[in-house]
């Protein structure tokens, strides 16, 4: 099998990540419309995070401007193999990967301001120069915020929100996967991990139905490519402690 499944921690009591509602709320069915609580969360940053944002965003943050696309060679000051993490959160995975591969450039995208502020602090504390972050909806970044050409050698989606009851909002959906394909360089890797039962199956089916990808054993990739690991993060640890299994899948862009 090309998939890697990590088992539960001994003695853990299985627990679902989110209770599944009886019916999905129609308010959340349109991925182009943000739920009301998105705006409230944008204002929820601590004084320390505000200081980090003021000091470090001009150095490490990229801002999308209407009608313009990001110039990543200019942003990083060099041309190098490039990795995108969709939903970088607080930067735990991004920083581990960037530290392990200083010859690669890493771009993290997330919508939540507080997580990006935390990421800025981690990047600064680690002394990394090969990380940039952008505050945006990932689908919007992929569709309109980047040049219409292959840009990335690897794209990570790690432990995304399953949007139970409103699966139309999932980050890996047909239109975003098409954008990922168009921004992926030949031979580039798309890596996905989740502790939500059935989520990896859904992504696997979607990737196979779209074509242009071939499944690659996760263990083989990590054994053959130094630094190409799935980082250990709080989401992964919490999932194992709660008794859930983690599914890792990987696909190579072949055309």
């Amino acid at each position: 099998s090309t998939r890697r499944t990590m088992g539960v921690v001994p003695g853990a009591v299985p627990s679902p990540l989110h209770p599944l509602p009886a019916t999905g709320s129609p308010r959340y069915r349109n991925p182009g419309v943000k739920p009301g609580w998105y705006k409230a969360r944008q204002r929820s940053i601590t004084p320390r995070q505000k200081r980090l944002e003021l000091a470090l965003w001009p150095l490490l943050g990229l801002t999308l401007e209407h009608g313009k696309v990001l110039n990543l060679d200019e942003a990083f000051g060099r041309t190098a193999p490039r990795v995108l993490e969709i939903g970088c959160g607080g930067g735990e995975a991004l920083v581990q990967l960037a530290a392990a591969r200083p010859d690669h450039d890493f771009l993290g995208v997330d919508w939540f301001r507080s997580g990006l502020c935390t990421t800025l602090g981690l990047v600064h504390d680690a002394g990394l120069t090969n990380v940039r972050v952008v505050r945006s909806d990932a689908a919007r970044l992929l569709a309109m915020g980047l040049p219409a050409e292959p840009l990335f050698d690897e794209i990570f989606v790690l432990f995304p929100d399953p949007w139970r009851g409103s699966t139309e909002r999932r980050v890996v959906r047909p239109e975003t996967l098409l954008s990922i394909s168009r921004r992926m360089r030949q031979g580039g890797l798309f890596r996905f991990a989740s502790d939500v039962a059935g989520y990896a199956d859904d992504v696997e089916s979607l990737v196979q139905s779209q074509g242009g990808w071939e499944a690659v054993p996760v263990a083989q990739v990590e054994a053959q490519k130094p630094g190409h690991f799935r980082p250990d993060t709080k989401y992964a640890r919490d999932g194992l402690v709660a008794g859930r299994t983690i599914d890792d899948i990987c696909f190579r862009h072949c055309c």
Side-chain angles (χ1 to χ4, degrees), residues 59-135:
L59 302 175
L60 304 173
L62 306 179
T63 302
L64 290 185
E65 298 181 36
H66 181 71
K68 296 183 179 181
V69 296
L70 297 177
N71 184 328
L72 296 183
D73 285 344
E74 181 180 287
F76 286 98
R78 66 176 183 176
T79 300
R82 193 173 293 131
V83 181
L84 171 67
E85 185 187 2
I86 294 175
C88 62
E92 192 176 6
L94 194 66
V95 167
Q96 291 181 54
L97 289 166
R101 290 191 247 169
D103 58 332
H104 286 55
D105 289 333
F106 289 81
L107 179 67
V109 58
D110 208 297
W111 179 255
F112 291 117
R113 184 181 175 192
S114 61
L116 291 175
C117 291
T118 301
T119 299
L120 294 174
L122 291 179
V123 172
H124 178 263
D125 291 346
L128 299 173
T129 60
N130 60 334
V131 178
R132 300 291 184 273
V133 295
V134 57
R135 183 178 165 220

Side-chain angles (χ1 to χ4, degrees), residues 18 21 39 43-44 46 50 71 105 107 119 125 150-151 154-155 157-158 170-171 197 202-203 216-217 220 229 234:
H18 299 292
K39 291 183 179 179
R43 296 190 293 268
S44 302
T46 66
K50 182 64 176 178
N71 184 328
D105 289 333
L107 179 67
T119 299
D125 291 346
L151 296 168
E154 192 168 8
I155 295 179
V157 180
L158 303 177
R170 285 182 171 181
V171 66
D202 292 344
V203 170
V216 182
Q220 176 183 311
F229 56 92
K234 181 180 184 298

